[in-house]
Amino acid sequence: MSIPSLELQIQTLPDSPGVYQYYDKDGKILYVGKAKNLKKRVSSYFNKIHDTAKTNVLVKKIVSIKHIVVPTETDALLLENNLIKKLQPRYNVLLKDDKTYPWICIKKEPFSRIFPTRNMVKDGSEYFGPYTSFKTVHTLLELIKELYPLRTCNYDLSKANIDSGKFKVCLEYHIGNCKGPCEGYETLENYQKHVNAIREILKGNFKESLKDFKKHMTELAMDMRFEEAQKIKEKIEVLENYQSRSTILNPKISNIDVFSIVSDESMAYINFLQISHGAIVRSHTMELKKKLEETDQELLELAVVELRERFHLNSKEIIVPFEIDMGEAIRVTVPKLGDKKQILDLSERNAKYYRLDQLKQIKIVDPDRHTNRIMAQMQKDLRLPVEPRHIECFDNSNIQGTNPVAACVVFKDGKPSKKDYRHFNIKTVEGPNDFASMEEVVYRRYKRLLGENEPLPQLIIIDGGKGQLSSALKSLDDLGLRGKIAIIGIAKRLEEIYYPGDSVPLYLDKKSETLKTIQHLRNEAHRFGITFHRDKRSKSALQTSVETIPGIGEKTMIALLKHFKSVKRLTLATEKEISDVVGLSKAKKITEFYKATNATK
């Protein structure tokens, strides 16, 4: 598959947090970076000359760009660290060493120690994080230290050692920072209660602790101890911004491959995430063209086998969105909740973004293919006998029954055909009657098309529910077009799609292109109808004003309304102000008329 131009690749990047990877013409990794907004960050490399020669050389070598979308900027920071360590890109200087972001460890031992560490040891201890800011780590540990007295020594506090009196309390005990478990002054049960409370804080459940801190801060402020209160405030701010969980790094998930699939009529997109020691170290999305009507299950099974061979994967467990047959050697997990479900959702999100990128590129490079795809999708979603290449949508406009009008907008090949738009003044209906108005305009529209031998649409959309749809159907019956043109109604409240003779509406996916096209038609009809209605109402108001003042013509009135902006301002204007616009003679007639009108009120 040929690589799209860099300009096209950048144009279709998402405005989401994530990590981008630059590759050269040989497919070799050049650089890995993070971004709060992928499109803006990557664009910035190509729209200026950089200060350093190294960056300018890098930009010249870039041929393709890959990206991984993540939920937050913090996740992007962590993923960037993983990928740089794994891929060792030539143009990255920082983060290539073996240092990683810090964790907070609750050690698996009697009277557990709690401390920061950069190294994860698989001994059953619990690790929370990683943290992109050491400030957060220190604040959390200070908070824990203030709330719960814990030991800081590294003694082996087994029951036998404590009973034999092997250890003596240290200074931390005498100054009140520790309760002396080494000499048996604190029970293991009581100490573990504190550890359980700390575990909740590290998971992010620290509402009670925050409440205590805020109370303490208020008390300090009341005592005029503002510096101390400010320090407490800073701790509160760090804790409120604290993220306890990361999708990108999770020590509970190790050496697992994650696969997800997103498909449409012609293509399937399979994303793969490789998890090694709790960290994402690779992401790849592949495309599979549907040749027959293969199911997602069949396609995913094929893709998993191919990707495992291509990347030499040998993990014993895979995470997938539904059950697939991979033989007995591989454990297949379909998560419904928890950490594994989060990582599967991330994979699916990347598959969706990849599909959107490809569709955007097709729309730019090959608009006909894009149109054909949408037409085929609409035919399938709306259960139509043919593709709706010519669609017409009707909407009524009236305010409190005045100046009723209707609009018909026309889309051809999924795009507005503005030269074919039509307005209708309602002629046969008295008062506000949307159903009768719809019946009239649909009849008039297709009577004319039939009379002029013009092509009829493949789909008619009525803006409204079952009532308006029934009215439009009467007109199609009268013209003998029932069954020859597909017709549906769209109700605004829940975007229900109604079909003739079917009381149960169809609900389309809110993100589907079919619904978006229908909404575009409906909104365009509404805009077109409202504009016409306003013009008609304004003209009607103007004619009323013109007709009621003897000796004043339409041109004079238009000049006055342009100057004074409204009839109300004109009625309040002085004779001098009016004469400056239209002369003294006409000004007298106008002011005398409005004086007489006001006197009779």
Side-chain angles (χ1 to χ4, degrees), residues 477-527:
D477 282 337
D478 293 346
L479 294 165
L481 293 175
R482 179 85 174 253
K484 293 180 183 177
I485 308 174
I487 183 166
I488 59 172
I490 177 167
K492 282 189 182 74
R493 196 171 67 87
L494 294 171
E495 307 291 41
E496 302 108 326
I497 308 289
Y498 284 97
Y499 286 83
D502 191 347
S503 61
V504 180
L506 168 72
Y507 293 95
L508 292 170
D509 184 334
K510 292 285 182 278
K511 292 180 182 176
S512 78
E513 287 171 312
T514 300
L515 182 60
K516 282 178 181 171
T517 305
I518 293 171
Q519 287 170 331
H520 188 183
L521 273 148
R522 191 263 313 278
N523 296 342
E524 187 69 356
H526 189 63
R527 178 200 64 76

Side-chain angles (χ1 to χ4, degrees), residues 26-66:
D26 301 318
K28 193 174 178 183
I29 185 87
L30 294 169
Y31 186 81
V32 172
K34 66 182 181 305
K36 187 176 183 178
N37 181 314
L38 282 164
K39 192 171 192 174
K40 280 186 183 175
R41 182 71 189 97
V42 173
S43 301
S44 71
Y45 277 88
F46 298 91
N47 56 20
K48 64 181 178 183
I49 295 169
H50 297 274
D51 297 335
T52 63
K54 181 184 169 186
T55 309
N56 289 319
V57 171
L58 162 66
V59 172
K60 283 178 186 173
K61 288 186 176 182
I62 299 167
V63 171
S64 69
I65 303 163
K66 288 186 180 179

Side-chain angles (χ1 to χ4, degrees), residues 74 102 115 126 175 256 289 306 310 327 330 377 465 508 559 574:
T74 305
F115 54 88
E126 290 177 80
I175 61 175
I256 290 177
K289 190 168 178 64
E306 187 180 328
R310 190 193 303 182
I330 300 170
Q377 192 67 44
L508 292 170
T574 62

Side-chain angles (χ1 to χ4, degrees), residues 422-434:
R422 294 292 180 269
H423 284 134
F424 296 89
N425 287 308
I426 304 301
K427 295 177 179 177
T428 61
V429 181
E430 290 294 326
N433 187 333
D434 276 355

Side-chain angles (χ1 to χ4, degrees), residues 10 21 75 116 121 176-177 274-275 360 380 400 438 440 459 523 547 577 581-582 586:
I10 295 163
Q21 301 163 60
D75 286 330
V121 182
N177 289 343
Q274 185 180 359
I275 316 292
K360 284 180 195 170
K380 184 190 174 194
Q400 296 176 340
M438 187 62 75
E440 179 192 320
L459 176 65
N523 296 342
E547 286 163 5
E577 287 170 337
V581 182
V582 295
K586 288 178 181 176

